[in-house]
Amino acid sequence: MRIAVDAMGGDFGPTPIVEGVLQALDVRDFFAVLVGDSTQIKPLIPQKYLDKIEIVESSDVFAMCELATDVLKRKDSTIFKAVELVKSGDCAAVVSAGHSGATMTLATLRLGRLKGVSRSPLATLMPTCVGRKTLVLDVGANTDCTAEYLYEFAVMGEAYAREIMGLEKPRVALLSNGEEDCKGNEVSKKAFELCKGLESFVGNAEGNQVFDGSVDVIVCDGFVGNILLKTSEGAGSAVGKIIKNEVEKSFVVKLGALLMKPAFRAMKKEMDYDEYGGAPLLGLKSCAIVSHGKSSAKAIKNAVFQALKFADSRINSSIEAKLAK
């Protein structure tokens, strides 16, 4: 399987991106197509990997400060060429840590949506206190949604939970301001009625249920979902800093913290973005993984793993069949 990677789009240049691809190649058998400036990329690749990597030349990098829609005019940019490799069928998936808006724009317009899909949501996995993950969508691709869009997100989330997460009977819920059927705004109430037709639908879920493991898929619009995502990241960071500050205040607490170090390490791993790598844009004809601009090599490695698993799954046929039904 061939995976296209925008090697230049991240905040830290090609170094962590190439390193992440090399780490992935150490574990999985695939072929990486790196799009970027070969003069910067080649020195980062040891000889033993050369038969598993191809470089597609491009020195034009779409900057984070640019308007997402402008990327359509930049056909020589790394992200445009990476997406085109998937559109042409040369690669099975694209991974980019570059401009997320540009990546989503290109992926949607150049790759196209599946039949029956009105909007493509961005999905991400959130940690829970029971060790399993909760899939949340949309987390930023569509700020304004209709009830029909939310219903489609529920269908896509269910398919992802079955095909990628391996859950036989995923529990799908709508994010709302209460568990009761009557709660929510006008859009979510209409979406509730539509989602009742899904066997996997369990009703409304409150914000705390994102992290308690009581549901597997939580559906919301991109405006709410992005706020939820950023708030969660901020809360996790704040908790870590509070614990660190309290530990520094007492020698006894320091001893206790030393004994708790394995637990802290496990908690940090569960909450570490790098463990997830990136967010898939669902409902497209091909796979696109959107990674954070500050992605480390570990994050890129896991984003590649996610792309490989997604491209090798039946998720798209599952989504189309469900929406057609």
Side-chain angles (χ1 to χ4, degrees), residues 67 82 204 213 232 242 252 258 266 295:
L67 291 175
N204 287 328
S232 302
I242 290 171
V252 175
L258 188 62
S295 290

Side-chain angles (χ1 to χ4, degrees), residues 139-150:
V139 292
N142 307 278
T143 54
D144 296 299
C145 292
T146 66
E148 288 75 15
Y149 297 170
L150 294 180

Side-chain angles (χ1 to χ4, degrees), residues 7-8 14 34 36 48 64 87 110 124 164 169 172 177 205 259 267 274 282 309 323:
M8 310 295 291
L34 305 181
K48 67 175 183 177
M64 297 290 188
K87 178 179 171 59
R110 301 300 296 169
T124 193
I164 307 298
K169 295 182 179 180
V172 180
N177 59 335
L259 295 173
M267 182 180 74
D274 289 354
L282 302 183
K309 190 171 185 178
L323 290 177

Side-chain angles (χ1 to χ4, degrees), residues 146-178:
T146 66
E148 288 75 15
Y149 297 170
L150 294 180
Y151 169 75
E152 291 175 17
F153 295 173
V155 170
M156 288 184 263
E158 178 191 18
Y160 188 96
R162 289 183 189 276
E163 302 295 335
I164 307 298
M165 298 169 68
L167 302 179
E168 186 177 344
K169 295 182 179 180
R171 298 158 296 174
V172 180
L174 281 171
L175 186 61
S176 190
N177 59 335

